[in-house]
Amino acid sequence: MTDLLLNRRQVLKTLGLTAGASLLKLPASAKETSKQANSSFKYALNMSTIRGQKLGFVKELEVASKAGFGSVEIWIDSFQTYLKEGGTVKEAKRIIDDLGLEIENAIGFARWIVDDEAMRTAGLKQLQGEMEQLAGIGCKRVAAPPSGANGANAALLDLNVITERYIKILEMGEQTGVKPVLEMWGASPNLKKISQVLYVVAESGHKDARALLDIFHIYKGGSSFDSLAFVGKPAIDIFHVNDYPSGILPAKISEPDRIYTGDGIAPIRQALQAIKDPGKQIILSLEVFNQSYYQQDALLVAQTGLAKMKAIAEGM
């Protein structure tokens, strides 16, 4: 361990990190979290969860590390704002390493899937550039949602056409070392069902093809949680976790209705039982967009989220 890292952790202790972590019975560092990780799962913070506090790229990373997360999902726009304001890829990588974090995935919205050829070409160029930037900070994956093909009036795309387009970005991923993960969006006409995402992943026949599923989107899109049992174990590396309250139908529920795991009615343990893989740890990433959480201290939100994730997965 370097003197720099030791000094950094001493500073965090001085700022009261240890006391805050103790309050929630959480580890005081990302490294300690990795040692205590559940054998079936490891825990990540999707920066959507503290996005409303408008901390900026570096402070978001610092909060995640202080809260005890060893893994994160960043948002590409936050990273690119950091670069536009004078940050560099090299400096970002140093900060990430000093904090002991792994960048498991990045959330972006390149329009790789759309029918409009000019728009799709621009989307592929955008995604290529994003992948190259992400590779520089050690990011392993990038989300590939049906961005641009998701409005109420969006056309329903043929799954075989989506498969061809997904293969294209998988090949880009081979070149850059950043794997595109096909993301389910329950509110979209396209890739809203587990079966649709699974079809494209399986039909691609590509070794790097993966599905990014989500507790909220499974409910929103009208899939059965029983369908998770049909998703092959290699298809899932990351699984988005959250919860939803009772009394809101799928047609009415929206992103801000997401809540901490265990605070709602979602069959989360059933879902985790279905996706856990004896051959590897699945990354559980907390993704919520709750306005009431955005009014709270970001560190408290991250700590609370981690504690509730661990509680829901206990004993699995």
Side-chain angles (χ1 to χ4, degrees):
M1 185 181 295
T2 66
D3 290 340
L4 177 60
L5 190 52
L6 283 169
N7 290 339
R8 191 180 192 92
R9 288 182 175 161
Q10 185 59 45
V11 169
L12 295 179
K13 287 183 178 180
T14 302
L15 290 173
L17 172 60
T18 303
S22 176
L23 182 62
L24 286 170
K25 297 184 180 180
L26 291 174
S29 71
K31 185 174 181 180
E32 289 176 28
T33 294
S34 66
K35 287 181 180 179
Q36 299 173 17
N38 182 295
S39 59
S40 297
F41 306 109
K42 64 177 178 176
Y43 305 98
L45 180 66
N46 184 307
M47 295 308 183
S48 69
T49 306
I50 55 173
R51 185 172 173 83
Q53 284 85 345
K54 302 185 185 303
L55 303 175
F57 180 70
V58 173
K59 288 185 179 179
E60 287 174 346
L61 295 172
E62 291 173 346
V63 166
S65 181
K66 289 177 184 179
F69 284 96
S71 296
V72 295
E73 289 184 285
I74 64 170
W75 279 53
I76 292 174
D77 63 349
S78 180
F79 177 42
Q80 291 184 335
T81 297
Y82 162 80
L83 295 176
K84 289 174 184 176
E85 292 177 350
T88 66
V89 170
K90 183 177 180 180
E91 178 65 11
K93 182 66 167 66
R94 184 194 65 76
I95 292 169
I96 291 163
D97 290 345
D98 284 352
L99 291 171
L101 294 172
E102 292 184 75
I103 311 298
E104 301 288 359
N105 189 33
I107 306 301
F109 304 98
R111 298 186 171 191
W112 62 275
I113 197 174
V114 297
D115 272 339
D116 184 286
E117 187 172 353
M119 186 181 294
R120 189 171 68 255
T121 298
L124 291 173
K125 182 178 180 181
Q126 174 187 337
L127 184 56
Q128 178 75 33
E130 290 171 350
M131 284 178 165
E132 290 170 357
Q133 288 179 330
L134 294 170
I137 57 171
C139 181
K140 303 172 184 177
R141 307 168 187 87
V142 62
S147 183
N150 60 302
N153 299 319
L156 183 63
L157 302 177
D158 184 283
L159 289 177
N160 290 313
V161 172
I162 295 176
T163 301
E164 292 174 4
R165 294 171 185 172
Y166 184 45
I167 291 171
K168 173 69 174 178
I169 63 173
L170 283 165
E171 291 170 349
M172 291 166 53
E174 285 186 292
Q175 297 169 7
T176 60
V178 180
K179 298 177 183 178
V181 189
L182 194 68
E183 184 174 13
M184 161 192 263
W185 273 6
S188 172
N190 297 289
L191 302 180
K192 70 181 293 180
K193 297 275 194 180
I194 290 174
S195 57
Q196 294 171 328
V197 176
L198 182 57
Y199 179 90
V200 173
V201 168
E203 190 67 15
S204 75
H206 197 285
K207 63 180 177 58
D208 293 333
R210 297 290 188 276
L212 180 54
L213 306 180
D214 182 305
I215 293 289
F216 170 85
H217 285 301
I218 292 171
Y219 180 69
K220 176 67 178 175
S223 289
S224 168
F225 280 88
D226 291 332
S227 298
L228 281 171
F230 297 101
V231 181
K233 302 298 185 185
I236 296 179
D237 289 340
I238 301 178
F239 189 73
H240 283 170
V241 294
N242 37 65
D243 211 331
Y244 47 83
S246 62
I248 310 179
L249 295 174
K252 296 293 185 181
I253 202 165
S254 62
E255 300 284 1
D257 294 316
R258 297 174 184 232
I259 52 180
Y260 293 124
T261 58
D263 283 4
I265 62 168
I268 299 172
R269 285 185 65 87
Q270 174 191 338
L272 300 187
Q273 188 66 43
I275 67 168
K276 74 175 186 177
D277 185 342
K280 67 182 180 185
Q281 282 186 313
I282 301 297
I283 302 154
L284 302 183
S285 184
L286 180 66
E287 186 182 50
V288 297
F289 301 84
N290 193 293
Q291 294 298 320
S292 68
Y293 300 169
Y294 290 162
Q295 304 306 312
Q296 301 172 30
D297 176 73
L299 179 57
L300 176 62
V301 171
Q303 289 176 321
T304 304
L306 179 57
K308 288 179 178 287
M309 292 168 74
K310 289 185 172 185
I312 205 77
E314 185 177 2
M316 299 189 70

